[in-house]
Amino acid sequence: GEDVEQSLFLSVREGDSSVINCTYTDSSSTYLYWYKQEPGAGLQLLTYIFSNMDMKQDQRLTVLLNKKDKHLSLRIADTQTGDSAIYFCAESPGYGGSQGNLIFGKGTKLSVKP
Amino acid sequence: DAGVIQSPRHEVTEMGQEVTLRCKPISGHDYLFWYRQTMMRGLELLIYFNNNVPIDDSGMPEDRFSAKMPNASFSTLKIQPSEPRDSAVYFCASGGQGSYEQYFGPGTRLTVT
């Protein structure tokens, strides 16, 4: 079945870059997502990438996709204390199209030290 | 739009009691999802609806769980009878046709003692 794996914790210093990694198993996934969850809140979409793309950049965020290795990463440049949150990687299985079942990883808790 | 609205935000109940969680999706969205989040299992999809019709309920853990969507602006997730292992944060999310994003509500934190 589908599975999404992420490391559980990452700690960085303010101003450094953060890189959060994710691996997934479903090669038919059409979209891959990064969601952010702040304490006590729901998940918020940060960015997504089509499976036919290698890279997507959006301000401080860079998403890299290695489809051969089924590896997705999120790089946050100039990490700020406000970036402290849990980051979820998710894949959308091919059968669901752009809607339907999202398979989430367990989330990576990013701690940013001043 | 106010976003996805969930109520209550917190619910504490005793084992064996019936619990009803409520969700109002964003107006105009065709899809509605119910998720459960726990430390051990992470975020799990329980069920989702398209145009008020349940499409996939394979994530519903047991017959004690049921979900309804009587109209486009309201859904409920009911647990009867509740058990301590049901304690979790339950999220509702909605999405529009052709959109890549699911919009999450703030969640309901359920504690069953």
Side-chain angles (χ1 to χ4, degrees):
Chain A
E2 304 101 358
D3 197 15
V4 177
E5 299 283 342
Q6 307 178 234
S7 54
L8 294 181
F9 301 99
L10 176 65
S11 181
V12 301
R13 292 216 170 269
E14 192 174 18
D16 288 349
S17 291
S18 307
V19 180
I20 303 171
N21 295 301
C22 167
T23 57
Y24 61 96
T25 56
D26 190 341
S27 58
S28 66
S29 288
T30 50
Y31 304 102
L32 295 132
Y33 302 82
W34 285 104
Y35 277 81
K36 177 183 180 182
Q37 184 181 29
E38 296 183 347
L43 277 70
Q44 178 185 11
L45 181 66
L46 276 182
T47 186
Y48 65 90
I49 189 168
F50 295 139
S51 58
N52 62 357
M53 296 170 65
D54 299 324
M55 186 182 87
K56 181 177 180 180
Q57 188 150 3
D58 184 1
Q59 299 182 331
R60 293 190 297 122
L61 305 179
T62 303
V63 178
L64 295 177
L65 175 60
N66 181 328
K67 200 173 178 184
K68 174 175 167 290
D69 294 337
K70 299 194 189 87
H71 182 265
L72 184 74
S73 68
L74 173 69
R75 179 176 179 269
I76 305 172
D78 187 24
T79 312
Q80 302 297 306
T81 54
D83 295 323
S84 294
I86 301 176
Y87 291 80
F88 291 89
C89 173
E91 62 172 344
S92 174
Y95 62 82
S98 62
Q99 289 293 317
N101 194 6
L102 286 180
I103 309 296
F104 284 89
K106 285 198 165 57
T108 299
K109 184 173 183 178
L110 175 64
S111 298
V112 182
K113 299 185 189 318
Chain B
D1 201 311
V4 175
I5 298 172
Q6 291 187 248
S7 65
R9 292 294 311 276
H10 301 273
E11 175 82 29
V12 180
T13 191
E14 291 184 348
M15 183 173 66
Q17 297 297 306
E18 177 180 296
V19 174
T20 299
L21 311 181
R22 296 172 175 80
C23 175
K24 178 177 167 38
I26 292 173
S27 177
H29 280 184
D30 304 292
Y31 289 83
L32 184 138
F33 307 83
W34 281 102
Y35 291 91
R36 178 172 68 176
Q37 185 179 39
T38 60
M39 289 290 290
M40 290 299 295
R41 300 175 67 88
L43 202 64
E44 303 172 281
L45 178 70
L46 299 177
I47 185 171
Y48 79 92
F49 296 82
N50 179 217
N51 291 323
N52 313 338
V53 175
I55 302 300
D56 184 355
D57 65 354
S58 59
M60 295 286 262
E62 303 168 32
D63 291 345
R64 299 184 296 106
F65 285 69
S66 62
K68 293 182 180 179
M69 192 164 185
N71 58 61
S73 59
F74 183 64
S75 176
T76 59
L77 177 68
K78 188 177 291 187
I79 308 172
Q80 166 63 19
S82 58
E83 296 182 3
R85 59 194 169 115
D86 301 330
S87 297
V89 181
Y90 290 81
F91 288 104
C92 175
S94 69
Q97 185 72 34
S99 168
Y100 307 121
E101 181 169 2
Q102 294 184 16
Y103 294 79
F104 281 73
T108 296
R109 182 173 293 277
L110 173 66
T111 303
V112 183
T113 61

PDB file of all heavy atoms in Angstrom, chain A residues 8-30:
ATOM      1  N   LEU A   8      11.179  12.587  12.221  1.00  0.00           N
ATOM      2  CA  LEU A   8      10.223  13.185  13.146  1.00  0.00           C
ATOM      3  C   LEU A   8      10.640  14.562  13.652  1.00  0.00           C
ATOM      4  O   LEU A   8       9.780  15.372  14.007  1.00  0.00           O
ATOM      5  CB  LEU A   8       9.992  12.248  14.329  1.00  0.00           C
ATOM      6  CG  LEU A   8       9.305  10.922  13.993  1.00  0.00           C
ATOM      7  CD1 LEU A   8       9.113  10.096  15.264  1.00  0.00           C
ATOM      8  CD2 LEU A   8       7.974  11.144  13.295  1.00  0.00           C
ATOM      9  N   PHE A   9      11.938  14.814  13.721  1.00  0.00           N
ATOM     10  CA  PHE A   9      12.395  16.061  14.324  1.00  0.00           C
ATOM     11  C   PHE A   9      13.519  16.680  13.495  1.00  0.00           C
ATOM     12  O   PHE A   9      14.302  15.987  12.868  1.00  0.00           O
ATOM     13  CB  PHE A   9      12.933  15.816  15.752  1.00  0.00           C
ATOM     14  CG  PHE A   9      11.928  15.218  16.685  1.00  0.00           C
ATOM     15  CD1 PHE A   9      11.948  13.853  16.939  1.00  0.00           C
ATOM     16  CD2 PHE A   9      10.966  16.003  17.306  1.00  0.00           C
ATOM     17  CE1 PHE A   9      11.012  13.276  17.785  1.00  0.00           C
ATOM     18  CE2 PHE A   9      10.026  15.439  18.149  1.00  0.00           C
ATOM     19  CZ  PHE A   9      10.053  14.071  18.393  1.00  0.00           C
ATOM     20  N   LEU A  10      13.557  18.018  13.533  1.00  0.00           N
ATOM     21  CA  LEU A  10      14.648  18.766  12.934  1.00  0.00           C
ATOM     22  C   LEU A  10      14.834  20.038  13.747  1.00  0.00           C
ATOM     23  O   LEU A  10      13.859  20.732  14.048  1.00  0.00           O
ATOM     24  CB  LEU A  10      14.348  19.119  11.477  1.00  0.00           C
ATOM     25  CG  LEU A  10      15.376  19.977  10.755  1.00  0.00           C
ATOM     26  CD1 LEU A  10      16.695  19.220  10.602  1.00  0.00           C
ATOM     27  CD2 LEU A  10      14.875  20.413   9.377  1.00  0.00           C
ATOM     28  N   SER A  11      16.073  20.333  14.102  1.00  0.00           N
ATOM     29  CA  SER A  11      16.357  21.539  14.859  1.00  0.00           C
ATOM     30  C   SER A  11      17.397  22.354  14.108  1.00  0.00           C
ATOM     31  O   SER A  11      18.422  21.826  13.678  1.00  0.00           O
ATOM     32  CB  SER A  11      16.880  21.165  16.252  1.00  0.00           C
ATOM     33  OG  SER A  11      17.150  22.328  17.008  1.00  0.00           O
ATOM     34  N   VAL A  12      17.119  23.642  13.928  1.00  0.00           N
ATOM     35  CA  VAL A  12      18.047  24.522  13.220  1.00  0.00           C
ATOM     36  C   VAL A  12      18.158  25.839  13.977  1.00  0.00           C
ATOM     37  O   VAL A  12      17.323  26.158  14.840  1.00  0.00           O
ATOM     38  CB  VAL A  12      17.602  24.803  11.761  1.00  0.00           C
ATOM     39  CG1 VAL A  12      17.496  23.517  10.965  1.00  0.00           C
ATOM     40  CG2 VAL A  12      16.313  25.590  11.728  1.00  0.00           C
ATOM     41  N   ARG A  13      19.157  26.628  13.617  1.00  0.00           N
ATOM     42  CA  ARG A  13      19.327  27.961  14.189  1.00  0.00           C
ATOM     43  C   ARG A  13      18.679  28.983  13.262  1.00  0.00           C
ATOM     44  O   ARG A  13      18.669  28.834  12.036  1.00  0.00           O
ATOM     45  CB  ARG A  13      20.796  28.278  14.371  1.00  0.00           C
ATOM     46  CG  ARG A  13      21.457  27.436  15.427  1.00  0.00           C
ATOM     47  CD  ARG A  13      22.503  28.237  16.206  1.00  0.00           C
ATOM     48  NE  ARG A  13      22.973  27.492  17.367  1.00  0.00           N
ATOM     49  CZ  ARG A  13      22.412  27.579  18.568  1.00  0.00           C
ATOM     50  NH1 ARG A  13      21.385  28.346  18.775  1.00  0.00           N
ATOM     51  NH2 ARG A  13      22.898  26.873  19.568  1.00  0.00           N
ATOM     52  N   GLU A  14      18.154  30.013  13.875  1.00  0.00           N
ATOM     53  CA  GLU A  14      17.536  31.098  13.119  1.00  0.00           C
ATOM     54  C   GLU A  14      18.515  31.636  12.071  1.00  0.00           C
ATOM     55  O   GLU A  14      19.696  31.847  12.373  1.00  0.00           O
ATOM     56  CB  GLU A  14      17.131  32.220  14.079  1.00  0.00           C
ATOM     57  CG  GLU A  14      16.220  33.273  13.473  1.00  0.00           C
ATOM     58  CD  GLU A  14      15.730  34.267  14.520  1.00  0.00           C
ATOM     59  OE1 GLU A  14      16.341  34.350  15.602  1.00  0.00           O
ATOM     60  OE2 GLU A  14      14.724  34.948  14.240  1.00  0.00           O
ATOM     61  N   GLY A  15      18.024  31.800  10.855  1.00  0.00           N
ATOM     62  CA  GLY A  15      18.863  32.302   9.776  1.00  0.00           C
ATOM     63  C   GLY A  15      19.467  31.208   8.915  1.00  0.00           C
ATOM     64  O   GLY A  15      19.855  31.463   7.765  1.00  0.00           O
ATOM     65  N   ASP A  16      19.545  29.996   9.455  1.00  0.00           N
ATOM     66  CA  ASP A  16      20.058  28.871   8.663  1.00  0.00           C
ATOM     67  C   ASP A  16      18.969  28.380   7.714  1.00  0.00           C
ATOM     68  O   ASP A  16      17.803  28.759   7.822  1.00  0.00           O
ATOM     69  CB  ASP A  16      20.491  27.726   9.571  1.00  0.00           C
ATOM     70  CG  ASP A  16      21.770  28.044  10.333  1.00  0.00           C
ATOM     71  OD1 ASP A  16      22.424  29.068  10.003  1.00  0.00           O
ATOM     72  OD2 ASP A  16      22.111  27.286  11.259  1.00  0.00           O
ATOM     73  N   SER A  17      19.366  27.490   6.807  1.00  0.00           N
ATOM     74  CA  SER A  17      18.381  26.818   5.952  1.00  0.00           C
ATOM     75  C   SER A  17      17.934  25.530   6.618  1.00  0.00           C
ATOM     76  O   SER A  17      18.711  24.848   7.293  1.00  0.00           O
ATOM     77  CB  SER A  17      18.990  26.487   4.589  1.00  0.00           C
ATOM     78  OG  SER A  17      19.231  27.650   3.861  1.00  0.00           O
ATOM     79  N   SER A  18      16.676  25.200   6.419  1.00  0.00           N
ATOM     80  CA  SER A  18      16.130  23.926   6.918  1.00  0.00           C
ATOM     81  C   SER A  18      15.823  23.051   5.706  1.00  0.00           C
ATOM     82  O   SER A  18      15.303  23.551   4.701  1.00  0.00           O
ATOM     83  CB  SER A  18      14.818  24.165   7.674  1.00  0.00           C
ATOM     84  OG  SER A  18      14.972  25.125   8.680  1.00  0.00           O
ATOM     85  N   VAL A  19      16.117  21.776   5.820  1.00  0.00           N
ATOM     86  CA  VAL A  19      15.752  20.841   4.767  1.00  0.00           C
ATOM     87  C   VAL A  19      14.991  19.679   5.397  1.00  0.00           C
ATOM     88  O   VAL A  19      15.518  18.969   6.254  1.00  0.00           O
ATOM     89  CB  VAL A  19      16.982  20.312   4.003  1.00  0.00           C
ATOM     90  CG1 VAL A  19      16.527  19.332   2.916  1.00  0.00           C
ATOM     91  CG2 VAL A  19      17.754  21.454   3.382  1.00  0.00           C
ATOM     92  N   ILE A  20      13.760  19.528   4.982  1.00  0.00           N
ATOM     93  CA  ILE A  20      12.905  18.455   5.488  1.00  0.00           C
ATOM     94  C   ILE A  20      12.709  17.451   4.364  1.00  0.00           C
ATOM     95  O   ILE A  20      12.341  17.832   3.247  1.00  0.00           O
ATOM     96  CB  ILE A  20      11.551  19.011   5.954  1.00  0.00           C
ATOM     97  CG1 ILE A  20      11.760  20.079   7.022  1.00  0.00           C
ATOM     98  CG2 ILE A  20      10.660  17.883   6.489  1.00  0.00           C
ATOM     99  CD1 ILE A  20      10.502  20.842   7.395  1.00  0.00           C
ATOM    100  N   ASN A  21      12.985  16.194   4.656  1.00  0.00           N
ATOM    101  CA  ASN A  21      12.953  15.153   3.638  1.00  0.00           C
ATOM    102  C   ASN A  21      11.764  14.217   3.809  1.00  0.00           C
ATOM    103  O   ASN A  21      11.249  14.024   4.920  1.00  0.00           O
ATOM    104  CB  ASN A  21      14.244  14.339   3.688  1.00  0.00           C
ATOM    105  CG  ASN A  21      15.448  15.167   3.316  1.00  0.00           C
ATOM    106  OD1 ASN A  21      15.519  15.706   2.216  1.00  0.00           O
ATOM    107  ND2 ASN A  21      16.396  15.292   4.234  1.00  0.00           N
ATOM    108  N   CYS A  22      11.389  13.603   2.702  1.00  0.00           N
ATOM    109  CA  CYS A  22      10.226  12.724   2.682  1.00  0.00           C
ATOM    110  C   CYS A  22      10.431  11.678   1.596  1.00  0.00           C
ATOM    111  O   CYS A  22      10.968  11.998   0.520  1.00  0.00           O
ATOM    112  CB  CYS A  22       8.993  13.588   2.394  1.00  0.00           C
ATOM    113  SG  CYS A  22       7.482  12.713   1.953  1.00  0.00           S
ATOM    114  N   THR A  23      10.042  10.454   1.872  1.00  0.00           N
ATOM    115  CA  THR A  23      10.011   9.435   0.828  1.00  0.00           C
ATOM    116  C   THR A  23       8.606   8.868   0.736  1.00  0.00           C
ATOM    117  O   THR A  23       7.885   8.800   1.730  1.00  0.00           O
ATOM    118  CB  THR A  23      11.011   8.294   1.104  1.00  0.00           C
ATOM    119  OG1 THR A  23      10.712   7.715   2.383  1.00  0.00           O
ATOM    120  CG2 THR A  23      12.435   8.785   1.094  1.00  0.00           C
ATOM    121  N   TYR A  24       8.220   8.498  -0.460  1.00  0.00           N
ATOM    122  CA  TYR A  24       6.881   7.963  -0.673  1.00  0.00           C
ATOM    123  C   TYR A  24       6.997   6.703  -1.519  1.00  0.00           C
ATOM    124  O   TYR A  24       8.043   6.422  -2.114  1.00  0.00           O
ATOM    125  CB  TYR A  24       5.983   9.016  -1.333  1.00  0.00           C
ATOM    126  CG  TYR A  24       6.457   9.492  -2.693  1.00  0.00           C
ATOM    127  CD1 TYR A  24       5.950   8.932  -3.865  1.00  0.00           C
ATOM    128  CD2 TYR A  24       7.426  10.488  -2.810  1.00  0.00           C
ATOM    129  CE1 TYR A  24       6.385   9.344  -5.111  1.00  0.00           C
ATOM    130  CE2 TYR A  24       7.875  10.908  -4.049  1.00  0.00           C
ATOM    131  CZ  TYR A  24       7.355  10.344  -5.193  1.00  0.00           C
ATOM    132  OH  TYR A  24       7.804  10.766  -6.424  1.00  0.00           O
ATOM    133  N   THR A  25       5.918   5.955  -1.583  1.00  0.00           N
ATOM    134  CA  THR A  25       6.015   4.655  -2.248  1.00  0.00           C
ATOM    135  C   THR A  25       5.198   4.573  -3.536  1.00  0.00           C
ATOM    136  O   THR A  25       5.513   3.760  -4.401  1.00  0.00           O
ATOM    137  CB  THR A  25       5.544   3.527  -1.312  1.00  0.00           C
ATOM    138  OG1 THR A  25       4.214   3.809  -0.871  1.00  0.00           O
ATOM    139  CG2 THR A  25       6.458   3.410  -0.103  1.00  0.00           C
ATOM    140  N   ASP A  26       4.159   5.397  -3.662  1.00  0.00           N
ATOM    141  CA  ASP A  26       3.254   5.234  -4.796  1.00  0.00           C
ATOM    142  C   ASP A  26       3.791   5.977  -6.013  1.00  0.00           C
ATOM    143  O   ASP A  26       3.727   7.207  -6.077  1.00  0.00           O
ATOM    144  CB  ASP A  26       1.861   5.751  -4.429  1.00  0.00           C
ATOM    145  CG  ASP A  26       0.816   5.380  -5.473  1.00  0.00           C
ATOM    146  OD1 ASP A  26       1.186   5.055  -6.620  1.00  0.00           O
ATOM    147  OD2 ASP A  26      -0.377   5.421  -5.133  1.00  0.00           O
ATOM    148  N   SER A  27       4.302   5.236  -6.967  1.00  0.00           N
ATOM    149  CA  SER A  27       4.914   5.863  -8.144  1.00  0.00           C
ATOM    150  C   SER A  27       3.875   6.528  -9.043  1.00  0.00           C
ATOM    151  O   SER A  27       4.216   7.316  -9.918  1.00  0.00           O
ATOM    152  CB  SER A  27       5.704   4.830  -8.946  1.00  0.00           C
ATOM    153  OG  SER A  27       4.852   3.771  -9.334  1.00  0.00           O
ATOM    154  N   SER A  28       2.600   6.230  -8.808  1.00  0.00           N
ATOM    155  CA  SER A  28       1.573   6.842  -9.651  1.00  0.00           C
ATOM    156  C   SER A  28       1.059   8.157  -9.080  1.00  0.00           C
ATOM    157  O   SER A  28       0.159   8.776  -9.645  1.00  0.00           O
ATOM    158  CB  SER A  28       0.391   5.883  -9.821  1.00  0.00           C
ATOM    159  OG  SER A  28      -0.266   5.686  -8.579  1.00  0.00           O
ATOM    160  N   SER A  29       1.634   8.582  -7.959  1.00  0.00           N
ATOM    161  CA  SER A  29       1.184   9.839  -7.352  1.00  0.00           C
ATOM    162  C   SER A  29       1.326  10.979  -8.340  1.00  0.00           C
ATOM    163  O   SER A  29       2.381  11.159  -8.942  1.00  0.00           O
ATOM    164  CB  SER A  29       2.000  10.156  -6.096  1.00  0.00           C
ATOM    165  OG  SER A  29       1.658   9.287  -5.062  1.00  0.00           O
ATOM    166  N   THR A  30       0.272  11.744  -8.485  1.00  0.00           N
ATOM    167  CA  THR A  30       0.292  12.839  -9.445  1.00  0.00           C
ATOM    168  C   THR A  30       0.695  14.153  -8.815  1.00  0.00           C
ATOM    169  O   THR A  30       1.309  14.997  -9.452  1.00  0.00           O
ATOM    170  CB  THR A  30      -1.092  12.997 -10.084  1.00  0.00           C
ATOM    171  OG1 THR A  30      -2.086  13.046  -9.055  1.00  0.00           O
ATOM    172  CG2 THR A  30      -1.399  11.832 -11.015  1.00  0.00           C
TER     173      THR A  30
END
